[in-house]
Amino acid sequence: MGNCCSDVGGGMAAVSGATSSAATGNQNDAVDMYLRSHGIHGLFSQIELSFSATSLRDRDVFSKSDPMVVVYIKERDGAINEVFRTEVVLNSLTPTWIAKYTITYHFEVVQNLLFKVFDVDTQYHNVEVKMLKLEEQQSLGEAYCTLSELVTKPNRSLTLDLIRREESVSSTHSQHCGKLTVHAEECFSSKSTADIILRCIDLESKDLFSKSDPFLVISKLVESGTSIPVCKTEVLKNDHNPTWKPVFLNIQQVGSKDSPLVIECFNFNSNGKHDLIGKVQKSLADLEKLHLGREGENLYLPTLVGHNYENKILNSKLLVDKFSETVQHTFLDYLAGGFELNFMVAIDFTASNGNPRLPDSLHYIDPSGRLNAYQKAIYEVGEVLQFYDADKRYPAWGFGARPIDGPVSHCFNLNGSSNYCEVQGIQGIMMAYTSALFNVSLAGPTLFGHVINRASVVACDSLSTGAKKYFALLIITDGVITDLQETKDALVKASDLPLSILIVGVGGADFKEMEILDAVKGERLESTTGCIASRDIVQFVPFRDLQSGEISMVGALLAELPTQFLTYMRRRDIKPST
C-alpha cells in the first residue's frame, strides 16, 4: 500500500476522515437558508469525490513516482480554476488517495472537471501540498469529465484514461499514461460522531533490526465491493503494542453503525511500500461491542495457499479502549433553538475619505441615488445579516470625526443621540449615516480599538443576562489603522465574547495590516500582556473585490461567521434548546 503523505514526517501524520475540532460545522447551512429565503430553491447536493489510479507512468529513476491529484473547474467563460489538491502518495504507481474533494452538484449546470496528476519531486517532500509550485513538478497526465457524467453512473464511479497535456489538444494517438478512477458519493450531514481510541497488542515485527512502525487505515466498503479509505492514524515508531490518538468518524460518513469497515494495520516504510501486518473487518457497532466487552479481536493476514487466499489468524489483537458517540449541533440547530445573530456597524469618518461634498469622495452622496461604497457595503452586508436578527434594532457608530462643538471622537453614536446607539433597520443605518455626514467634521486618525471595545460591552452585557445572542460588528474603513496593537488588545479580549468582527475595506488603500487581524496565516493574535486570542473572530474583505465579482457577497460574509459562532458555542458547551 502506498498511501502516505509527502514526506517521512508528513507520511506519519494523521489524515482523518472526521475532525475533533470544535470549529467543525456545515458552513453551507446559512448560505442555503439565505438562498431559500430569497426564493432560490435550486436542486443542489454535496458530492464527495474520491480518487485512485492504476498503471501510472514511472518518472523517478531510483524509485516509483510520488503522485498527487489536482482538481480544476472549467468555468463557462473558459477559465480554469484550481480548487483542490490531494496528499502526495510515496512511491506508488497504483495510489489510492485519502483526501476527498467536496463539490456542490447543481442539476441545471454543466460542471466541467479537469484532473491533473503530478509526480512530486523528492526535494519538495517537506513542502505542504498547497505550497507546491506545479510548474516544478512532472506531469503524469490529465483527464476530463463532467460531474453529471460521473453521478449518473450506476456505481457513481468513472475510470478515465490519463493523457499528456500536449496530446489532449489533438486527436492523434496518445501514449498510455495510466487510468484515474473517480468515485462520487452524496454527502449526508450527520450530527452523530463516533470518538474511538484503538490499540493493538503483540504485533509481529516486519523490520529486520527494529520493531515495526505501525499505523491504521480505516476504509469503508461501497456497493461495488471496493474499499475507500476514510481515516488514517499517525505512525508510532518502534511499537508492537501501540495506542493511537483518537479517531473521529461521522456515522453517516461511513454509511451506518452496521456498515462494514476494513481496519488494516501497516508497518510504515519511507519508500512507500508499507507492509500489511494484519487486518480485521468490523462495523462501528462491532467496535462498540469490543469496547463494552473489553475483549480484543485477532488480526488476520490473507495468505496464499495453493491458488487461493486464506485468512491466517494471528496472535496480534485489535482492542477498543474508547468508543463514544457525540452530537455536534449545527448552526441551524442554534437558530431553531432561538439564538440570534445581531448586527452592529461602525463607519470610518476620517479625512482620508475626502470631502463628502465633492464627487471624488468615498462619502459623496450622489443626488441621482447611486450608492457610494459605504452605502453599498451597509446595504449588501446588512441585507444578509438582518435575516438573523429578530427586532432589527442595530447599534451604529462612527469614528474618526469631530462632532459639532466637540473634540475628535473615535466612537460616537451615528444617530446623534448621547443616550442610545440603536437605529431601526438597514434604512435606519442609511439615514443616520447620511445625517452624520452633515453634522460632523472628518478628522482622524483611524482607530479601531474604541469601537471594538464598545461592541464588546454590548456583547458582555447580553452575556450577563443570559440572552441567546451572538453579535457581528461590521467595520467599514478606507484606511490603514494607526492603533494596531491597541486593536489587537481589544480583539484578544473580545475573542472570549459572543462576537465576530467583519471588516470591509473601501477605496484603494493598502490593507495588508487587515490580514494580520484576520489571522490569514493561522497565527493567533497576541495582546500587549502576552495573552493569546482564544479563537479567530475577524474576517476582512476588500470591497473592490466584491465589486469586481471576484468574491460573492454571501460567500465573503459567511465564509467564517458560522464556524466562529459554532466555535464559541461548543467551547463553552452551550447547547441549543430543543
Side-chain angles (χ1 to χ4, degrees):
M1 172 176 170
N3 298 320
C4 254
C5 297
S6 58
D7 63 310
V8 175
M12 293 184 176
V15 180
S16 179
T19 176
S20 61
S21 171
T24 301
N26 181 1
Q27 296 186 26
N28 292 310
D29 286 340
V31 178
D32 293 349
M33 180 176 285
Y34 171 79
L35 293 174
R36 296 183 194 281
S37 74
H38 284 65
I40 302 173
H41 301 280
L43 175 61
F44 48 88
S45 301
Q46 295 297 104
I47 303 295
E48 184 182 77
L49 302 184
S50 305
F51 307 95
S52 62
T54 57
S55 304
L56 292 180
R57 286 189 297 166
D58 194 352
R59 300 296 296 269
D60 292 347
V61 178
F62 300 108
S63 62
K64 293 183 172 64
S65 296
D66 305 316
M68 171 184 72
V69 177
V70 181
V71 182
Y72 302 80
I73 291 181
K74 186 175 182 180
E75 306 293 352
R76 294 179 63 182
D77 60 1
I80 297 177
N81 299 316
E82 180 187 329
V83 293
F84 178 75
R85 296 183 184 188
T86 66
E87 78 276 18
V88 178
V89 174
L90 294 178
N91 294 295
S92 180
L93 302 183
T94 57
T96 298
W97 290 273
I98 290 179
K100 311 290 192 297
Y101 172 54
T102 301
I103 182 173
T104 302
Y105 164 65
H106 298 266
F107 174 79
E108 69 280 7
V109 178
V110 177
Q111 294 165 274
N112 298 305
L113 300 174
L114 176 64
F115 309 99
K116 296 185 180 182
V117 182
F118 292 90
D119 175 26
V120 177
D121 195 88
T122 304
Q123 63 178 311
Y124 300 109
H125 283 185
N126 288 316
V127 180
E128 291 185 35
V129 291
K130 65 181 180 181
M131 303 301 293
L132 290 172
K133 294 181 180 179
L134 298 180
E135 64 269 20
E136 297 176 345
Q137 316 308 320
Q138 296 187 76
S139 172
L140 296 179
E142 64 183 44
Y144 163 89
C145 75
T146 66
L147 187 57
S148 299
E149 182 183 7
L150 176 59
V151 298
T152 53
K153 293 294 180 182
N155 59 359
R156 289 185 179 171
S157 287
L158 194 60
T159 298
L160 306 168
D161 289 319
L162 290 167
I163 57 175
R164 287 184 179 177
R165 182 179 180 181
E166 60 270 18
E167 294 169 339
S168 65
V169 179
S170 66
S171 59
T172 59
H173 294 292
S174 61
Q175 180 181 345
H176 178 71
C177 299
K179 295 180 180 294
L180 177 71
T181 297
V182 186
H183 179 78
E185 285 194 83
E186 187 174 6
C187 301
F188 297 94
S189 61
S190 173
K191 302 172 190 177
S192 296
T193 299
D195 178 357
I196 311 169
I197 294 179
L198 298 170
R199 68 183 172 98
C200 283
I201 58 174
D202 299 327
L203 291 180
E204 296 183 359
S205 180
K206 293 292 183 178
D207 293 336
L208 186 59
F209 301 110
S210 64
K211 296 180 181 179
S212 296
D213 304 325
F215 67 95
L216 297 178
V217 174
I218 303 176
S219 304
K220 61 180 176 182
L221 295 176
V222 295
E223 297 90 338
S224 60
T226 59
S227 59
I228 296 178
V230 294
C231 182
K232 179 171 79 70
T233 69
E234 76 278 16
V235 176
L236 297 178
K237 293 187 67 74
N238 295 310
D239 198 340
H240 284 171
N241 298 286
T243 300
W244 290 277
K245 293 179 181 178
V247 295
F248 299 83
L249 294 175
N250 181 286
I251 291 178
Q252 285 191 344
Q253 177 193 27
V254 301
S256 71
K257 285 190 68 173
D258 296 318
S259 298
L261 298 174
V262 177
I263 304 174
E264 298 170 295
C265 183
F266 289 93
N267 173 45
F268 179 87
N269 287 310
S270 59
N271 64 6
K273 298 178 180 179
H274 309 306
D275 307 306
L276 178 62
I277 299 175
K279 62 194 292 187
V280 296
Q281 181 171 314
K282 292 290 179 184
S283 65
L284 287 176
D286 294 331
L287 294 178
E288 185 175 25
K289 290 178 182 177
L290 289 178
H291 170 64
L292 294 175
R294 304 293 178 184
E295 296 179 354
E297 178 76 13
N298 289 86
L299 302 181
Y300 66 85
L301 191 64
T303 304
L304 185 62
V305 178
H307 297 288
N308 300 312
Y309 277 95
E310 295 182 1
N311 293 331
K312 176 185 176 183
I313 306 300
L314 308 176
N315 293 326
S316 310
K317 287 188 176 183
L318 175 75
L319 295 96
V320 183
D321 282 356
K322 177 183 178 182
F323 188 100
S324 64
E325 291 182 42
T326 58
V327 174
Q328 295 278 38
H329 295 290
T330 66
F331 184 57
L332 284 181
D333 289 333
Y334 286 93
L335 295 181
F339 282 83
E340 295 184 13
L341 263 177
N342 290 162
F343 183 34
M344 301 185 284
V345 66
I347 298 173
D348 184 341
F349 284 89
T350 55
S352 56
N353 284 279
N355 188 340
R357 290 166 178 77
L358 300 178
D360 61 350
S361 170
L362 291 170
H363 281 309
Y364 180 68
I365 304 299
D366 195 325
S368 69
R370 181 181 179 181
L371 301 180
N372 65 32
Y374 281 88
Q375 291 172 314
K376 287 180 181 178
I378 293 169
Y379 179 77
E380 295 186 29
V381 174
E383 183 185 33
V384 177
L385 278 185
Q386 69 178 349
F387 179 66
Y388 303 97
D389 196 322
D391 63 10
K392 295 178 174 51
R393 294 189 61 83
Y394 310 128
W397 302 290
F399 61 93
R402 181 180 291 106
I404 296 176
D405 300 326
V408 174
S409 174
H410 301 293
C411 187
F412 57 89
N413 294 335
L414 200 62
N415 58 15
S417 171
S418 58
N419 300 318
Y420 62 94
C421 61
E422 291 185 336
V423 298
Q424 184 65 48
I426 303 304
Q427 194 59 36
I429 300 177
M430 302 284 262
M431 293 173 62
Y433 162 66
T434 303
S435 177
L437 287 172
F438 294 96
N439 290 289
V440 301
S441 299
L442 274 59
T446 304
L447 308 180
F448 278 11
H450 293 72
V451 292
I452 293 174
N453 285 331
R454 181 72 68 88
S456 295
V457 170
V458 175
C460 189
D461 289 344
S462 174
L463 187 62
S464 65
T465 62
K468 295 181 177 181
K469 294 180 181 291
Y470 189 92
F471 296 85
L473 169 64
L474 169 66
I475 301 177
I476 314 173
T477 183
D478 83 310
V480 178
I481 59 175
T482 55
D483 66 336
L484 181 60
Q485 188 56 56
E486 290 80 1
T487 298
K488 288 182 179 179
D489 292 344
L491 289 172
V492 170
K493 187 177 180 180
S495 67
D496 288 323
L497 297 171
L499 175 65
S500 287
I501 313 294
L502 304 170
I503 304 174
V504 174
V506 297
D510 183 353
F511 294 114
K512 287 184 179 178
E513 284 188 344
M514 299 303 176
E515 295 181 359
I516 298 175
L517 303 181
D518 197 358
V520 294
K521 295 182 179 180
E523 299 177 359
R524 295 275 179 87
L525 296 178
E526 183 175 348
S527 71
T528 306
T529 59
C531 294
I532 305 296
S534 62
R535 60 195 179 95
D536 174 27
I537 64 171
V538 177
Q539 183 178 357
F540 168 72
V541 177
F543 192 73
R544 55 177 174 259
D545 289 352
L546 303 179
Q547 288 180 300
S548 65
E550 295 179 18
I551 305 173
S552 73
M553 176 57 75
V554 175
L557 176 67
L558 297 178
E560 297 179 18
L561 191 54
T563 297
Q564 291 173 1
F565 174 96
L566 289 171
T567 300
Y568 177 83
M569 297 299 170
R570 290 173 180 172
R571 286 186 177 178
R572 284 152 185 80
D573 199 28
I574 301 173
K575 295 181 173 59
S577 57
T578 56

